[in-house]
């Protein structure tokens, strides 16, 4: 999100950057949840990585299913509440940012998944793979933003954020079976 807002400040107008920033403000409060869950799960994943790969695969599968269920529920609630939330944050002038938040909240599903999968790779000592996947996703995010922001403004920035997080989740998931074997 931070890279997108920096790029938007360079390639978009202040109003669109403001709408994206307002939506980002609302997202910051929700994005912390998957990070906390992954932090709590890390000791479990580390113990499973050390002792039993089958248990690790089971834990990753269960946590991933929970992340998808919780992510979809948060997305559904946020899609319904986006405009009132944005009006609460920035007043009536920020009402258009509700449409941005509706797009941007989809990234939460991917964030929840890649936070858990990142914790699993950390538990396995696969930091190099994480550096590689994060670098690729960062480049991809920059490309998405440069392509989508000029024609679509804040909505393009939100779409770029979602695509960037989807790319990161895909890249981390791509590396996970190499470390633990076949997953879901």
């Amino acid at each position: 999100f931070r890279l997108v807002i920096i790029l938007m400040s360079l390639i978009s107008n202040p109003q669109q950057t403001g709408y994206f920033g307002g939506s980002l403000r609302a997202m910051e409060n929700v994005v912390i949840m998957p990070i906390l869950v992954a932090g709590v799960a890390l000791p479990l994943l580390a113990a499973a990585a050390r002792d039993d790969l089958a248990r690790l695969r089971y834990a990753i599968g269960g946590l991933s299913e929970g992340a998808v269920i919780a992510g979809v529920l948060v997305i559904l609630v946020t899609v319904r509440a986006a405009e009132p939330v944005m009006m609460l944050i920035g007043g009536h002038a920020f009402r258009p940012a509700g449409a941005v938040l509706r797009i941007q909240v989809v990234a939460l599903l991917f964030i929840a998944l890649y936070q858990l999968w990142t914790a699993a790779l950390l538990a396995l000592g696969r930091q190099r793979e994480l550096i590689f996947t994060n670098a690729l996703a960062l480049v991809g995010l920059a490309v998405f933003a440069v392509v989508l922001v000029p024609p679509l403004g804040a909505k393009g920035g939100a779409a770029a954020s979602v695509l960037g997080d989807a790319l990161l989740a895909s890249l981390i998931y791509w590396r996970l079976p190499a470390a633990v074997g076949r997953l879901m």
Side-chain angles (χ1 to χ4, degrees):
F1 296 121
R2 301 281 186 248
L3 176 62
V4 173
I5 203 161
I6 290 168
L7 289 173
M8 283 193 70
S9 70
L10 299 172
I11 61 177
S12 189
N13 65 51
Q15 183 181 31
Q16 293 299 310
T17 304
Y19 290 154
F20 183 84
S23 176
L24 175 60
R25 230 20 183 172
M27 284 287 295
E28 285 176 339
N29 297 315
V30 183
V31 167
I32 195 73
M33 288 186 283
I35 296 168
L36 292 172
V37 170
V40 169
L42 183 57
L44 164 79
L45 296 172
R50 182 191 66 225
D51 299 334
D52 185 3
L53 284 181
R55 188 171 131 208
L56 178 62
R57 282 191 296 275
Y58 179 77
I60 292 169
L63 288 167
S64 298
E65 289 172 7
V68 169
I69 292 167
V72 168
L73 288 174
V74 171
I75 289 168
L76 292 174
V77 169
T78 304
V79 163
R80 183 77 170 126
E83 282 186 18
V85 165
M86 293 314 305
M87 287 174 46
L88 184 67
I89 290 173
H92 189 70
F94 265 81
R95 187 173 188 186
V100 179
L101 181 58
R102 282 190 183 106
I103 297 167
Q104 200 171 33
V105 74
V106 176
L108 184 64
L109 179 62
F110 299 111
I111 292 168
L113 289 170
Y114 78 64
Q115 287 294 327
L116 293 170
W117 298 338
T118 295
L121 287 177
L122 284 172
L124 292 161
R126 302 289 182 119
Q127 288 84 351
R128 276 193 182 155
E129 293 181 33
L130 288 172
I131 293 168
F132 173 71
T133 57
N134 278 277
L136 279 178
L138 191 62
V139 170
L141 174 62
V143 170
F144 295 144
V146 168
V147 169
L148 294 173
V149 168
L152 301 173
K155 290 180 183 177
S161 297
V162 171
L163 291 172
D165 284 319
L167 177 60
L168 180 57
S170 299
L171 290 169
I172 291 174
Y173 185 77
W174 167 59
R175 298 312 309 147
L176 205 50
V180 298
R182 189 172 182 273
L183 291 168
M184 54 188 164

